Amino acid sequence: MTELTRNFRRARVADLPRILELIECGRQKMRAAGNNEQWTNGQPSQEVIEEDIRLGESYVMTENGKVVVTFAFKPGPDVTYAKIYEGKWLDDVKPYYVVHRLASAPGVRGVLKDVLNFCFSHTDNIRIDTHRQNVVMRHALEKYGFRYCGIIYLLDGAERLAFQSCKSVAITEQSSNYDNLEQMSVVELLHHINEEDYRVAEAVKLAIPQIQAFVEAVEERMKLGGRLFYIGAGTSGRLGVLDASELPPTFGVSDTKVIGLIAGGDRALRHAVEKAEDMPEQGWLDLQPYHPTANDTVLGIAASGTTPYVVGVVRLARLNGLLTGCITSNPHTPLAQTSDFPIETIVGPEFVTGSSRMKSGTAQKMVLNMISTTLMVRMGRVQGNRMVNMQLTNAKLVDRGTRMVQDMLGLSYEEAQQRLLEAGSVDEACHY
């Protein structure tokens, strides 16, 4: 396979026909997606592009010398932004640059990432707009650390969603999309929280390829006798302990198969332990009583992706040959950089600014459910769709197990219950 060489440069007058061709490709893609009106309203004229080239504000990306991407990259303020009528910019003081008219040739992949990396090499403060219907672009911008700021009108009347880069402020620490919460009614608060929660499932869905890669790597080690350690601080640690503690009764596995550790120890499950998360070496020390081996896996959980306790244990675990992964709600964090398999669920700013127990915590719980349930199914702890290895720890579970045996073997309720109690599990009752 021929290795592609990508380069960026300012556009030249000779590039104009190719730039117009790429913009037309973009128009066709939007038409195919049913967004003809939005794209047509914002279609740049040849005169505008010529002016960008003259000012040195039109750029192209080449692959092996051929122009495959075009975009405008210019310092603000940008006169094409007539007004922003909903929301506000994150920072109207710092100098900023605007990215406009991004278009690419068919089949060219990784365009946005490469273009943004080029732009970020010049400035941290970037504004970019996209069509309301372009959901893929919106998710991609959020993944790369951009924050939705509001709706804007361009001078030609086109409506756009406006985004601004937030490289200087972690997404989990950014200001909420809502303000004056104390002035809202109960129903307003509930609806707005629910609106924000809709973003969580979308963010988790986008992370499925990362989750898949992690689960497949863990499965290999578990089948060799390896264990999975969840390690976190605060809410993240509590969620890890919760998920691990539910697996023995649900799937009948040993409580040493998946283990949850929290900074500050079990006391931290109910009470805040001062400065427990600030000690980068402590997590690895907390792991030592379990005698970790190369077949084990450490999953660090931290919404910020910067918690010293979690970053420290993942770094040391990796240095000592353990498989490592993480769950974080910020992109490109120290925790992700030190993990073999980072999982990034970019849920956006919290409803209450900085309260990562909300959307970030919900995303963590969803991902943990996906990881542990998939592993248990793959390890043979589920038959059909039934928890055939669940522990019979109360009357409700005995009744559930009895009905499973009754259904699977065609016995009466009394016969099924007697067989279940003698065998100790649904699986054993159906196979002895």
Side-chain angles (χ1 to χ4, degrees):
M1 181 180 293
T2 303
E3 184 176 349
L4 293 176
T5 301
R6 289 183 169 180
N7 293 296
F8 289 87
R9 62 170 172 81
R10 281 190 169 93
R12 308 167 186 140
V13 174
D15 295 318
L16 183 59
R18 177 59 173 166
I19 290 174
L20 293 173
E21 180 184 348
L22 292 176
I23 289 175
E24 179 60 26
C25 285
R27 185 206 294 264
Q28 296 300 328
K29 280 190 281 188
M30 295 300 285
R31 280 177 175 169
N35 299 337
N36 182 51
E37 181 179 353
Q38 283 289 321
W39 178 254
T40 302
N41 288 345
Q43 177 73 5
S45 66
Q46 179 172 327
E47 290 75 17
V48 169
I49 298 170
E50 289 175 340
E51 180 70 2
D52 286 345
I53 294 175
R54 186 183 69 79
L55 294 173
E57 295 173 348
S58 179
Y59 287 79
V60 295
M61 183 185 84
T62 63
E63 275 188 358
N64 295 344
K66 182 179 180 180
V67 174
V68 294
V69 175
T70 177
F71 62 99
F73 182 49
K74 55 180 65 182
D78 189 337
V79 295
T80 62
Y81 284 167
K83 70 172 182 176
I84 183 164
Y85 69 85
E86 177 186 301
K88 59 184 179 181
W89 295 114
L90 303 182
D91 187 347
D92 279 326
V93 179
K94 290 170 57 179
Y96 65 89
Y97 277 71
V98 177
V99 177
H100 272 324
R101 298 186 281 281
L102 175 61
S104 62
V108 181
R109 300 186 178 278
V111 169
L112 183 62
K113 179 180 179 181
D114 285 349
V115 169
L116 291 179
N117 284 339
F118 167 79
C119 295
F120 279 133
S121 70
H122 292 78
T123 178
D124 281 347
N125 199 350
I126 297 173
R127 298 180 182 181
I128 190 169
D129 59 82
T130 187
H131 307 287
R132 179 186 291 275
Q133 294 96 331
N134 198 340
V135 177
V136 173
M137 180 71 158
R138 173 176 174 171
H139 286 321
L141 287 171
E142 290 176 344
K143 177 180 178 181
Y144 293 123
F146 280 72
R147 161 88 182 275
Y148 170 70
C149 294
I151 303 172
I152 58 173
Y153 277 131
L154 305 189
L155 286 179
D156 61 8
E159 185 182 278
R160 295 286 189 273
L161 301 184
F163 291 80
Q164 185 170 355
S165 61
C166 311
K167 294 198 78 175
S168 60
V169 182
I171 293 175
T172 53
E173 298 298 325
Q174 289 169 17
S175 180
S176 171
N177 292 320
Y178 304 86
D179 204 352
N180 302 313
L181 304 187
E182 70 279 9
Q183 298 176 20
M184 293 182 184
S185 67
V186 170
V187 70
E188 287 175 324
L189 288 166
L190 296 176
H191 274 296
H192 289 323
I193 292 171
N194 182 246
E195 288 167 1
E196 288 297 302
D197 284 343
Y198 270 98
R199 296 174 178 265
V200 178
E202 293 178 354
V204 172
K205 182 177 181 179
L206 290 173
I208 285 178
Q210 294 178 322
I211 301 169
Q212 175 190 350
F214 176 72
V215 170
E216 289 174 347
V218 176
E219 180 188 357
E220 290 181 10
R221 286 159 176 78
M222 274 198 163
K223 288 181 176 178
L224 296 174
R227 299 162 295 176
L228 173 58
F229 292 90
Y230 296 147
I231 300 184
T235 298
S236 301
R238 294 183 188 101
L239 289 170
V241 172
L242 171 64
D243 192 75
S245 67
E246 290 177 336
L247 301 185
T250 305
F251 299 105
V253 294
S254 166
D255 59 9
T256 63
K257 198 67 176 174
V258 180
I259 300 167
L261 299 178
I262 182 171
D266 285 354
R267 172 176 168 75
L269 293 172
R270 293 181 178 274
H271 306 280
V273 177
E274 187 177 0
K275 297 183 179 179
E277 69 175 51
D278 296 331
M279 298 180 285
E281 310 295 331
Q282 188 59 46
W284 182 246
L285 294 175
D286 291 346
L287 200 57
Q288 294 316 294
Y290 298 91
H291 307 291
T293 74
N295 284 333
D296 294 329
T297 303
V298 168
L299 180 69
I301 313 169
S304 68
T306 60
T307 307
Y309 177 89
V310 182
V311 175
V313 68
V314 171
R315 180 179 64 83
L316 289 170
R318 191 177 186 183
L319 286 174
N320 283 273
L322 279 72
L323 184 75
T324 59
C326 71
I327 305 173
T328 178
S329 295
N330 285 320
H332 317 304
T333 62
L335 180 57
Q337 291 169 6
T338 197
S339 300
D340 296 309
F341 293 93
I343 298 169
E344 296 171 319
T345 54
I346 313 304
V347 297
E350 298 290 356
F351 179 73
V352 175
T353 298
S355 181
S356 56
R357 58 178 285 272
M358 301 188 76
K359 290 194 297 182
S360 293
T362 301
Q364 290 169 353
K365 183 67 173 85
M366 291 175 70
V367 174
L368 290 170
N369 280 348
M370 295 167 76
I371 291 171
S372 59
T373 303
T374 302
L375 284 171
M376 292 299 103
V377 172
R378 298 289 294 176
M379 297 294 290
R381 310 305 295 182
V382 172
Q383 183 175 331
N385 56 18
R386 298 181 175 94
M387 300 180 292
V388 294
N389 289 286
M390 65 182 180
Q391 295 178 355
L392 308 175
T393 54
N394 56 49
K396 178 188 72 176
L397 296 180
V398 170
D399 177 68
R400 180 185 297 166
T402 298
R403 295 183 186 281
M404 287 185 194
V405 174
Q406 185 180 15
D407 180 56
M408 295 168 76
L409 297 182
L411 302 177
S412 68
Y413 185 89
E414 292 74 18
E415 291 172 328
Q417 186 171 89
Q418 180 180 352
R419 189 179 181 98
L420 174 67
L421 295 176
E422 290 175 354
S425 74
V426 173
D427 187 46
E428 290 294 327
C430 293
H431 293 92
Y432 87 99

